[in-house]
Amino acid sequence: MSATPVAGVDLRPRGLGLSGRLFLVTVAFVVVAEILTFVPAVANYRIEWMDDRLAAAQVAALVLDGRTAEPVSEDLESRLLQGVNARAIVVRGSGAQRLLAIEPIPERVADTVDLGQVTTWSALRGAWRTLVSPVTEPIRVLGEGKPGFGRVEILLDEAPLRTAMIDYALRLAVSSLIIAAVAAGLVFVTLQVLIVRPVRRLATNITAFADAPEDAARIITPSDRADEIGQAEAALAKMQRGLADQLRQKRRLAELGLAVSKISHELRNLLTAAQLLGDRLESAADPSVQRIAPRLVGTLARAIRFCEGTLAYGRAIEPEPRLAPTPLAPLLADLPDIAALAVQPVAVKVDGGGLSVLADSEQVSRALANLVRNAVQALDGAAVAGPTVRVTAEAGPEEKVTILVSDNGPGLPQRARENLFAPFQGSVKAGGTGLGLPIAAELIEMNGGSLCLDETPGGTRFRIVLPAA
């Protein structure tokens, strides 16, 4: 998928950009590499130039050998010296020494170079001196001759050598710059195609996706590349799809929360009227009504407080728990009444009411009610003998109280186990919301406890651990 233009956002690089910087860095690196080879090359050229002069001097010596019977004219000597580009030539061999010169030999020379003992450092130092500090006096060059000759010495003017070195250095510098530019251009084009454009595509897509994350058309389509860029595109596409799904789900939840708030508002009004009627029932003379009426009023009061909390919710969060020593007996006593929700007979048995926990009684009561309600609904109509829900409390180690909510039903399917505490995803019965367990887990955790599913050979058992009072 090509990058989507983003209105109001300038995605063009400021300044040189990544590609321009890569181009300059590549040119700099190539130039540095050329410089590291440039200086030794110029120094080596100086040695080769002087070595060529020595070879020419030996040729001149051969000419002298061919004219041993005749005197050498000044014109011939001048031409031989000009051919060698030297002031004088001295050839030693067979116990004799030959001198070829038309000018008096100077008493002082500026430098002596023995080509048989040249080192890298001496070559570099001599090339630097020739280029930076030229001399007017001649320099003396020595070297071993070919078979039949001894050592050969020549006196040279340094000016022609310096001119030749400068010419060679300029040609080498120009060729080095051309090589650097070509190499940098190739690297620039390669990086532009392989890295810069894909990275720019990623950046453009991220910016476009940020403007409308729920728009599926803005999710990047990964290319077929198998390198890091391709992996980044695949990871970005996965992240964008997941984020878009979560945002759509949160939007639906927000809309659902608004609807629930409206329903809770109307339900609170109805429950308030029912509470007023329940207050009148307390004054009735019937002993059964007097026994049931307080529990009915208490249940209606909790329902009204829950509706008010939902209205105040506005953000769908639970209020901070009011931690206090809470006896479990009153909380457990209300749980058997939940069995009336089942069409088929289901027994709810409780045990361990003599313990107390340090928690918010309202929130713990809601968590237990959710767990027992889920168990009763799972057993309703299940093909089991004597469907029973057991709620037991026992003292645990480290000042903890363990509450077990178990049933002898068919157990939870694998799909429900994978999404056990995920809202809207862990429901087993048709029409269920899947909110009971997530709400129970949130309430228990807010009170400093934990809620988990125990592995049992049959049925289902949830374990609640809360701090002891």
Side-chain angles (χ1 to χ4, degrees):
M1 179 180 125
S2 59
T4 305
V6 184
V9 179
D10 186 8
L11 297 177
R12 293 175 298 178
R14 296 178 176 86
L16 292 177
L18 179 60
S19 56
R21 295 177 185 177
L22 288 174
F23 177 79
L24 294 181
V25 169
T26 305
V27 171
F29 284 168
V30 175
V31 169
V32 170
E34 292 291 343
I35 289 175
L36 293 177
T37 59
F38 175 82
V39 176
V42 173
N44 187 59
Y45 176 80
R46 176 174 177 269
I47 300 300
E48 290 179 352
W49 190 90
M50 290 187 291
D51 189 63
D52 290 342
R53 303 287 82 77
L54 282 179
Q58 295 181 57
V59 173
L62 289 175
V63 174
L64 293 177
D65 283 342
R67 300 179 62 88
T68 54
E70 302 178 6
V72 179
S73 64
E74 292 185 1
D75 181 61
L76 179 59
E77 286 187 4
S78 176
R79 282 186 293 167
L80 290 175
L81 292 173
Q82 289 179 357
V84 179
N85 201 7
R87 289 190 181 186
I89 301 175
V90 178
V91 179
R92 296 185 179 88
S94 302
Q97 174 177 304
R98 298 188 178 218
L99 172 64
L100 180 62
I102 57 176
E103 297 180 2
I105 303 299
E107 297 179 356
R108 179 180 177 275
V109 294
D111 193 10
T112 299
V113 180
D114 188 349
L115 297 182
Q117 298 180 359
V118 175
T119 62
T120 302
W121 173 246
S122 63
L124 294 174
R125 183 178 56 188
W128 175 262
R129 187 199 57 76
T130 300
L131 291 174
V132 177
S133 303
V135 294
T136 56
E137 294 85 358
I139 60 174
R140 181 184 177 210
V141 181
L142 300 85
E144 296 295 331
K146 294 181 180 180
F149 293 93
R151 290 182 63 79
V152 179
E153 301 180 16
I154 57 177
L155 293 180
L156 298 173
D157 286 330
E158 199 174 47
L161 171 60
R162 184 171 182 273
T163 301
M165 288 177 62
I166 292 175
D167 180 67
Y168 174 77
L170 291 176
R171 288 186 284 109
L172 183 60
V174 172
S175 62
S176 298
L177 290 176
I178 293 175
I179 293 174
V182 172
L186 293 175
V187 172
F188 171 80
V189 173
T190 302
L191 294 178
Q192 186 78 10
V193 173
L194 296 180
I195 297 179
V196 176
R197 289 182 181 175
V199 170
R200 187 178 300 162
R201 174 174 176 256
L202 286 173
T204 304
N205 179 268
I206 291 173
T207 306
F209 181 79
D211 287 348
E214 296 185 28
D215 186 1
R218 302 201 179 194
I219 297 177
I220 191 172
T221 301
S223 61
D224 297 331
R225 298 177 58 157
D227 55 6
E228 288 79 1
I229 295 293
Q231 295 174 3
E233 291 174 345
L236 177 61
K238 181 179 179 181
M239 181 273 293
Q240 289 177 336
R241 284 192 293 269
L243 181 59
D245 292 341
Q246 290 183 7
L247 290 175
R248 285 192 291 269
Q249 183 178 6
K250 289 184 180 298
R251 177 173 52 81
R252 290 195 295 268
L253 289 176
E255 295 172 352
L256 177 61
L258 179 60
V260 168
S261 297
K262 294 179 179 178
I263 295 173
S264 296
H265 181 272
E266 298 301 324
L267 183 60
R268 183 191 61 177
N269 295 335
L270 296 175
L271 290 174
T272 301
Q275 187 181 32
L276 294 176
L277 295 176
D279 292 338
R280 296 181 181 180
L281 288 177
E282 289 183 334
S283 60
D286 190 338
S288 299
V289 173
Q290 290 180 351
R291 180 172 52 87
I292 297 175
R295 297 173 62 182
L296 175 61
V297 172
T299 302
L300 291 175
R302 286 198 299 269
I304 292 174
R305 287 196 298 271
F306 178 72
C307 291
E308 290 174 347
T310 303
L311 290 174
Y313 164 67
R315 304 173 303 276
I317 60 174
E318 294 288 345
E320 288 296 324
R322 298 178 180 179
L323 301 180
T326 302
L328 289 178
L331 305 183
L332 299 180
D334 293 337
L335 298 178
D337 295 337
I338 299 178
L341 297 174
V343 177
Q344 302 295 332
V346 176
V348 177
K349 299 181 178 181
V350 297
D351 185 24
L355 300 175
S356 297
V357 294
L358 183 64
D360 187 314
S361 60
E362 179 71 23
Q363 294 180 346
V364 173
S365 176
R366 287 173 52 198
L368 289 172
N370 281 334
L371 292 175
V372 174
R373 185 182 301 106
N374 285 350
V376 169
Q377 291 175 351
L379 291 173
D380 190 12
V384 295
T388 304
V389 178
R390 296 185 181 274
V391 183
T392 60
E394 57 186 22
E398 300 179 358
E399 298 184 355
K400 300 289 185 180
V401 172
T402 300
I403 305 174
L404 300 177
V405 180
S406 58
D407 63 67
N408 60 347
L412 291 174
Q414 184 61 31
R415 182 184 66 83
R417 291 174 178 268
E418 294 175 354
N419 304 283
L420 197 59
F421 299 107
F424 305 103
Q425 299 181 28
S427 177
V428 178
K429 295 183 68 67
T433 62
L435 289 174
L437 285 176
I439 292 175
E442 180 184 6
L443 293 173
I444 295 299
E445 290 176 358
M446 290 177 62
N447 284 269
S450 62
L451 172 62
C452 63
L453 175 67
D454 284 351
E455 292 293 336
T456 54
T460 304
R461 185 173 69 189
F462 286 94
R463 178 183 298 270
I464 297 176
V465 178
L466 287 169

